[in-house]
Amino acid sequence: MTTIEEYLHGVVGFEVKDNAITSILIDREVEPGADVSTLDKRTKDLCRADLYMWCASTPSVQGSVEDADGVWKHKEGGTQSSAFDKRNLRQMANDIYKLYGENTTSSKVVVKSWGIARR
């Protein structure tokens, strides 16, 4: 048996806080501790999309500790994600939302130039 929490922790390469997953489950009305094999594909996919969006909204650098003494340095923990990583996460989430007819956060802006008139 794999719980939905274990499944969600395993789908991204980020450290995800338990309260973030709990919030996703509450919003999707999924019982905490539910066996992932008992959930329908739509629910599982939408929880995953919500997690992708959570990851995309976190700070780019998290939880690193660095010590130094002269030439000696030690760095521990932490993660770093680029704008490219976050853009990909948002795109994967939006693809899932679109598949199931949910509103996406992407927008297309078209700029039309009418030129500059000189007088």
Side-chain angles (χ1 to χ4, degrees):
M1 177 181 139
T2 301
T3 66
I4 184 65
E5 292 91 343
E6 292 169 334
Y7 168 77
L8 291 174
H9 277 291
V11 296
V12 292
F14 298 97
E15 185 65 34
V16 180
K17 296 183 179 193
D18 289 336
N19 61 353
I21 290 181
T22 299
S23 296
I24 290 168
L25 298 181
I26 289 169
D27 289 346
R28 291 288 171 188
E29 298 178 354
V30 175
E31 191 67 33
D35 184 349
V36 76
S37 67
T38 64
L39 298 174
D40 61 32
K41 182 171 175 25
R42 179 182 191 276
T43 300
K44 194 169 58 171
D45 286 348
L46 290 170
C47 286
R48 193 175 75 235
D50 292 345
L51 180 61
Y52 290 160
M53 282 299 198
W54 180 87
C55 291
S57 69
T58 59
S60 294
V61 178
Q62 294 183 8
S64 100
V65 176
E66 188 170 339
D67 296 321
D69 184 14
V71 294
W72 177 84
K73 284 186 178 182
H74 173 73
K75 188 171 183 179
E76 179 176 303
T79 59
Q80 184 170 352
S81 58
S82 68
F84 178 76
D85 296 332
K86 290 177 182 261
R87 193 169 39 252
N88 282 344
L89 286 165
R90 283 188 188 97
Q91 185 59 56
M92 289 187 302
N94 284 330
D95 289 346
I96 294 169
Y97 292 144
K98 186 177 178 182
L99 176 69
Y100 293 108
E102 295 215 351
N103 289 334
T104 62
T105 59
S106 65
S107 64
K108 305 236 189 258
V109 176
V110 177
V111 177
K112 291 185 180 184
S113 174
W114 298 98
I116 298 175
R118 292 202 140 168
R119 294 178 191 205

